Amino acid sequence: MTRRLPIIHSITEHDAGPYRMERLDLEFGNGERRRFERLHGRGHGAVAVVPLIDDDTVLLVREYAAGVHRYELGLVKGRIDAGETPLQAADRELKEEAGYGARRLDVLRTLTLAPTYMSHLTWLVLARDLYPERLPGDEPEELEVVPWKLDALHELILREDFSEGRSIAALFVAREYLQRHAGR
């Protein structure tokens, strides 16, 4: 069923740290009016990178995650800087966090975090044909790089220290992409 989008009668906003909080006065197709709140990031989105060191092995990084106060395994990821494309940001983040550049980068899709109340987009980028190159990053310590076989994703997703939703989703999207585009 296709529905027309609700009518926005007004938007009020205020600062909420690194985000802008908006209150939307909405009217739905059935005449019902409601107020919704949403967060807008102040940046240009983010990238999550699936770096393949070979056809069967992804490189993960282990870094401190302040939100859960532990070290987490996950993908290379970071903000897109002003003036950067998602591909440029992915290559830069890969060099900063894992110590590799990529000769081949492909945007697979965008991912959302919580689309019912947040506008943040993360571009999922597949990085192949890697070569060693390191750029200084903003991490307080060097990140541990952990190779992981794609055919062992079923083990990875059960690990307590691998819990970030974008990383989980990105690996399954990348694996499906690679299976459908084998040999290209």
Side-chain angles (χ1 to χ4, degrees):
M1 178 165 99
T2 302
R3 295 183 180 181
R4 67 180 174 88
L5 290 172
I7 298 167
I8 300 174
H9 287 285
S10 68
I11 299 175
T12 56
E13 54 185 61
H14 66 279
D15 286 338
Y19 299 96
R20 184 179 74 240
M21 172 69 81
E22 292 183 343
R23 285 194 178 94
L24 306 172
D25 178 17
L26 299 172
E27 181 180 341
F28 288 81
N30 62 1
E32 189 75 25
R33 282 187 73 156
R34 296 284 168 91
R35 181 170 288 155
F36 277 58
E37 292 182 334
R38 68 180 176 193
L39 289 174
H40 276 297
R42 296 192 187 281
H44 306 280
V47 292
V49 186
V50 179
L52 297 179
I53 195 70
D54 60 42
D55 290 343
D56 305 314
T57 311
V58 64
L59 296 179
L60 304 174
V61 292
R62 186 183 321 274
E63 68 180 311
Y64 177 70
V68 290
H69 188 58
R70 67 178 181 219
Y71 282 88
E72 279 273 318
L73 271 175
L75 292 175
V76 167
K77 56 193 161 305
R79 283 184 250 170
I80 299 171
D81 290 339
E84 276 186 323
T85 67
L87 294 178
Q88 291 167 332
D91 196 44
R92 176 184 49 76
E93 288 290 343
L94 183 58
K95 291 173 183 175
E96 291 175 1
E97 294 189 5
Y100 287 92
R103 290 183 188 90
R104 183 170 179 192
L105 295 160
D106 297 294
V107 172
L108 301 185
R109 62 166 298 153
T110 57
L111 300 171
T112 60
L113 294 175
T116 55
Y117 69 90
M118 197 172 194
S119 67
H120 183 78
L121 291 177
T122 299
W123 277 260
L124 170 55
V125 178
L126 182 63
R128 293 179 275 185
D129 196 9
L130 304 184
Y131 59 92
E133 184 176 339
R134 180 164 298 280
L135 289 176
D138 58 1
E139 290 77 18
E141 59 188 2
E142 189 171 326
L143 304 185
E144 178 185 357
V145 178
V146 179
W148 199 276
K149 294 293 184 185
L150 289 175
D151 64 4
L153 288 184
H154 62 286
E155 295 171 13
L156 181 63
I157 64 170
L158 296 177
R159 291 178 59 115
E160 189 173 317
D161 66 344
F162 184 75
S163 66
E164 203 250 339
R166 291 179 299 175
S167 290
I168 294 169
L171 286 173
F172 281 96
V173 169
R175 187 175 72 178
E176 183 67 20
Y177 175 87
L178 290 166
Q179 288 171 352
R180 289 178 184 233
H181 296 89
R184 290 188 195 175

